[in-house]
Amino acid sequence: MDDDQGLTAVAAARPAPGPRRRAAAVLHRRPRLRLTLLLSAPLAWLVPGYLGALAAIFLTAFWTTDTFTGEVVHQYTLANFQTLWDEPVYRTIALRSVGVAAAVTLIDMAIGLPMAFAMAKVVRPRRRPYLVVAVLAPLWAPYLVKAYAWRVMLAHGGLADEVLGPFGLSGPGYGLTATVLVLAYLWLPYMILPVYTGLERLPDSLLDASGDLGARPLRTLRAVVLPMVFPSLVAGSVFTFSLSLGDYITVKIVGGRTQLLGNVVYDNVGAANNLPFAAAVATIPVVVMLAYLAAARRTGALREL
Amino acid sequence: MTLSPAARAALRAVLVLGLAVIYVPLLVVLVNSVNADRAFGWPPTSFTGRWWAHAMDDAGARRAVLTSVKAGLGATAIALVLGTAAAFAVARHRFFGREAVSLAVVLPIALPGIVTGIALSNAFQVVLKPLGVGLGLFTVIAGHATFCVVTIYNNVLARLRRTGTSLEEASADLGADTFQTLRYVTFPALRSAMLAGGLLSFALSFDEIIVTTFTAGPGAQTLPIWIFGNLFRPNQAPVVNVLAAAMIVLSVIPIWIAQRLSSGARSPV
């Protein structure tokens, strides 16, 4: 009893904990409650607000629009997908969009790999951080401004014509070529940076060993460098491919009358007021991208992101 | 690998040429904003500050800049709360569906913008319209916040994983309660990560056009929407040039801050 009295005296000497202290104690004892509080806001926003919206739009793809009233008819049908499949124009546009995304990715690989290699293995190590900033900095310049800059340069009598003129050439003008060119320009840093990171991790000793064993530089490139940076190339391509596939602004700015999937979606939401069809068209890039990500995952590239 | 001097020179040349191509278009915009020739013929023959003065007076452009700043600040504020909370949950707790939370956060930026755009636009029309809320600044902020969460989430998550929990445990052992630890130990460690994420989030919002097109409605014109709308009007070209040039100049600020932040992060805490 004496012992107990001593303890009570100590406890009584302390001031009673305030409500804040009590709430803190409750939170400290109950990790599940902490977790619930942390997750409630983000999940309340993202699950109904975003995932719900996504689900709704894909559901809409199976509905149609009444041609007279413009109202959406809530009746399950595959008519939109049937149209997509049957109309040659949509097949052409879908293939063209995937082709543009693939061409942009290949161009960025062809330019990005030597640039990244020069950054990681040729220039003095002291200069590397500055080069990384130089590649990264233009990403902060607005997308629209960069596309607009190319519109100015590719204009009739613009810089492209001026530069190519002495060689008896002229700029590509606005069209499909210009679209591929500008998209490749826009997404190039997204290719250079992962490849540079991959190459930086590649030990120089491996390259030396390959050379000592008698491999010429091209053989070393093919047998040592490419297999080692392949995951980085794939990681970069996820960006270049996906960003190109959904784009419709660049093509409007420099593409002339070229139509890509994004334009079809945009026109069907706006002018044509046919949301179900727009939703059906929008599933194409999503399905292509999911297939691409599934393939990329098998190379182990997604861990590079 | 012993590269021949010629190969080294060639690789250097590709690097220099590549960087030149990256920067030339930006320079063209900067030069054109002071090009005295109204048709922007190239090369420019004389220079003027007239277009800059002209653009400052353009009421539409000024309103668009203001709308963009409001949208960026609003979206970043929401994204800071949601992204930090989600990062804490994923970094400090184990629970069923943890991977799914990461996916839900990344998805809005991973899917093509046009898909996010029509999905949100449709949801806003169905849910908000009956409540009397039309498309406007509010829906732009909500849309931007959705894809900005990932920038904060990634930055804060990386920082939480790197700092670990030992400092927080020490704080608790010394008698600090949960809130005191959060305020005096956890938050100071996270501040620069939140700032870096917030900066990226603001830049992302300021630059966004695709999702904005679908969620803005006629009332709320952000700067990219305004520029895009005036891009094809030759008589507005001087103002568009100046705004484009101004955006390039202003983009130096976040680069500078980001550099300061990353160099600060490397020094021992």
Side-chain angles (χ1 to χ4, degrees):
Chain A
M1 199 171 163
D2 280 341
D3 301 341
D4 181 53
Q5 257 182 339
L7 278 175
T8 330
V10 171
R14 268 197 211 151
R20 190 185 63 96
R21 193 88 184 181
R22 273 204 303 268
V26 169
L27 278 178
H28 183 74
R29 276 197 305 270
R30 300 196 177 162
R32 286 280 133 186
L33 178 66
R34 260 184 353 244
L35 179 63
T36 313
L37 287 177
L38 282 174
L39 276 179
S40 55
L43 289 190
W45 186 284
L46 287 171
V47 173
Y50 185 67
L51 298 182
L54 273 186
I57 202 73
F58 288 119
L59 205 65
T60 312
F62 294 98
W63 294 338
T64 49
T65 309
D66 190 310
T67 16
F68 293 106
T69 60
E71 294 282 316
V72 174
V73 181
H74 297 218
Q75 201 168 43
Y76 177 81
T77 165
L78 286 172
N80 293 320
F81 293 98
Q82 190 73 43
T83 315
L84 276 181
W85 187 256
D86 288 345
E87 293 280 340
V89 61
Y90 294 122
R91 238 179 303 166
T92 314
I93 292 176
L95 287 177
R96 187 189 294 141
S97 300
V98 174
V100 164
V104 167
T105 302
L106 289 177
I107 291 174
D108 279 345
M109 281 182 182
I111 300 173
L113 183 60
M115 280 180 75
F117 192 87
M119 279 165 70
K121 299 292 176 202
V122 178
V123 298
R124 259 173 249 139
R126 206 157 38 82
R127 291 199 185 147
R128 279 174 204 162
Y130 298 103
L131 288 168
V132 172
V133 173
V135 170
L136 207 61
L139 285 180
W140 291 93
Y143 158 94
L144 192 62
V145 169
K146 286 181 275 188
Y148 170 67
W150 279 90
R151 184 178 167 83
V152 172
M153 292 200 304
L154 294 173
H156 190 69
L159 186 65
D161 284 350
E162 278 304 312
V163 171
L164 295 172
F167 304 100
L169 298 165
S170 63
Y174 302 144
L176 192 59
T177 317
T179 308
V180 173
L181 195 71
V182 174
L183 288 174
Y185 168 81
L186 286 169
W187 315 136
L188 181 63
Y190 292 99
M191 179 63 79
I192 295 179
L193 289 170
V195 176
Y196 168 77
T197 315
L199 280 170
E200 222 192 7
R201 262 179 305 183
L202 176 75
D204 289 346
S205 53
L206 274 181
L207 304 181
D208 293 336
S210 169
D212 291 346
L213 291 169
R216 289 170 186 283
L218 275 184
R219 175 89 192 265
T220 305
L221 179 72
R222 194 161 44 87
V224 180
V225 177
L226 279 183
M228 298 283 284
V229 295
F230 184 68
S232 310
L233 278 170
V234 175
S237 79
V238 169
F239 289 107
T240 58
F241 194 83
S242 129
L243 289 168
S244 307
L245 204 56
D247 186 272
Y248 76 95
I249 301 286
T250 296
V251 66
K252 277 200 161 183
I253 295 177
V254 297
R257 287 210 300 238
T258 312
Q259 286 264 320
L260 295 180
L261 283 172
N263 304 93
V264 179
V265 176
Y266 180 80
D267 293 343
N268 272 293
V269 173
N273 193 23
N274 189 345
L275 188 64
F277 189 68
V281 178
T283 53
I284 301 176
V286 173
V287 170
V288 172
M289 218 36 239
L290 288 179
Y292 195 88
L293 282 174
R297 208 188 149 100
R298 302 187 64 169
T299 66
L302 297 190
R303 269 171 308 209
E304 304 273 318
L305 296 183
Chain B
M1 175 168 54
T2 39
L3 282 169
S4 65
R8 297 181 83 87
L11 280 167
R12 267 177 218 270
V14 171
L15 182 59
V16 171
L17 205 67
L19 284 172
V21 170
I22 287 178
Y23 280 95
V24 162
L26 303 179
L27 284 177
V28 168
V29 171
L30 289 179
V31 171
N32 260 351
S33 74
V34 289
N35 190 341
D37 179 10
R38 221 196 139 83
F40 300 105
W42 199 268
T45 45
S46 59
F47 299 101
T48 172
R50 195 152 49 106
W51 308 136
W52 282 80
H54 189 55
M56 299 293 168
D57 289 339
D58 194 304
R62 275 216 306 257
R63 231 183 354 257
V65 171
L66 198 64
T67 308
S68 269
V69 170
K70 280 189 210 155
L73 290 178
T76 303
I78 296 173
L80 270 171
V81 173
L82 300 181
T84 310
F88 259 101
V90 167
R92 295 282 194 255
H93 296 267
R94 314 214 149 268
F95 56 92
F96 176 74
R98 207 162 66 129
E99 297 291 310
V101 172
S102 299
L103 185 70
V105 168
V106 175
L107 208 56
I109 202 127
L111 287 181
I114 195 149
V115 176
T116 303
I118 59 171
L120 288 177
S121 147
N122 181 43
F124 289 151
Q125 306 265 13
V126 172
V127 178
L128 293 181
K129 220 176 201 174
L131 298 174
V133 182
L135 294 181
L137 183 61
F138 174 73
T139 50
V140 171
I141 291 177
H144 284 195
T146 306
F147 62 74
C148 284
V149 172
V150 67
T151 63
I152 318 275
Y153 173 81
N154 278 346
N155 272 287
V156 173
L157 187 63
R159 180 63 56 86
L160 282 173
R161 289 207 168 127
R162 212 175 51 196
T163 51
T165 55
S166 47
L167 280 177
E168 285 158 28
E169 281 157 13
S171 161
D173 287 347
L174 291 170
D177 67 36
T178 307
F179 299 121
Q180 286 168 329
T181 303
L182 190 67
R183 185 168 157 203
Y184 296 112
V185 178
T186 316
F187 177 67
L190 290 182
R191 205 164 31 202
S192 64
M194 289 170 78
L195 188 59
L199 202 63
L200 199 57
S201 156
F202 185 83
L204 207 61
S205 160
F206 206 77
D207 191 16
E208 217 289 332
I209 177 160
I210 297 182
V211 174
T212 318
T213 312
F214 290 99
T215 52
Q221 269 199 332
T222 61
L223 189 54
I225 300 271
W226 188 90
I227 293 182
F228 189 66
N230 287 285
L231 212 56
F232 307 101
R233 297 186 190 148
N235 63 337
Q236 284 284 39
V239 180
V240 170
N241 268 327
V242 169
L243 284 175
M247 284 169 96
I248 292 174
V249 172
L250 288 180
S251 70
V252 173
I253 298 172
I255 296 168
W256 182 74
I257 300 178
Q259 276 313 107
R260 292 284 310 255
L261 284 179
S262 66
S263 59
R266 249 180 264 126
S267 67
V269 183

